[in-house]
Amino acid sequence: MSVQLDGVVNPGSPNGGETVEVKTSSDKTVAVSNIYSVTSRSHTSEPTVSETSSTVGARTAYKVGFTASPTGGLSPTAGSWVMIKFPSGTEFDESFFESSVTDSSTRQQVGDDSCTAFLEEVTCSIQGNVAAGNTVAVELDRATNPGSPNDDEKLGLETSSDAVLEPSESYRIEPASASGPA
């Protein structure tokens, strides 16, 4: 007999001697599994950020890329997710918000409109398998840049497998250019 438990969360700290105990309604004797280990949580690579417009308050699309750690595989049966925390003032219009998540290593889409936004935080449910160490791209359309210029904006990214908030490379939010008659 085999039992699969989806969405189980490993213990918070590594231990070299984990086991599982099993008994059934007809077999009252407890059976103990072989010993397995749980590794420490890791982190993704430094996220990369590109946007279609870097102007203050402009409507834009963000593309955020990262590489999962060597132990950071993602799976829909495990309830895996990617969370991106944008700088204060970034807005996502939930009624027009579009998103995609792609495993760039395999060129497979693993999330189609699977992201939700709350204030500056976007969480994307994973709908396909991503192997540990693979490169992932998250595209978020119809976002609005913060209302203040900044030469050193950063976002943070973590996944359900690599649950350490990793800061991105810096990106710019530029002032709107002056227009009109001279």
Side-chain angles (χ1 to χ4, degrees), residues 52-124:
T52 56
S53 173
S54 60
T55 303
V56 164
R59 186 69 80 148
T60 190
Y62 282 96
K63 188 168 186 178
V64 179
F66 68 95
T67 301
S69 75
T71 58
L74 302 168
S75 164
T77 56
S80 296
W81 48 262
V82 174
M83 189 276 295
I84 305 170
K85 185 162 180 55
F86 283 85
S88 181
T90 307
E91 296 177 4
F92 296 91
D93 183 346
E94 201 56 45
S95 62
F96 294 105
F97 185 53
E98 293 179 2
S99 63
S100 66
V101 183
T102 304
D103 180 332
S104 302
S105 299
T106 63
R107 296 187 179 130
Q108 296 295 310
Q109 190 169 24
V110 295
D112 180 27
D113 284 334
S114 67
C115 302
T116 58
F118 180 72
L119 301 175
E120 295 91 16
E121 191 173 292
V122 174
T123 303
C124 304

Side-chain angles (χ1 to χ4, degrees), residues 21-32:
E21 295 180 353
V22 178
K23 69 178 180 177
T24 69
S25 58
S26 60
D27 296 318
K28 302 293 184 191
T29 304
V30 173
V32 179

Side-chain angles (χ1 to χ4, degrees), residues 129-151:
N129 293 321
V130 176
N134 279 14
T135 302
V136 178
V138 179
E139 187 168 332
L140 305 167
D141 296 341
R142 298 184 178 151
T144 303
N145 283 331
S148 301
N150 188 339
D151 287 340

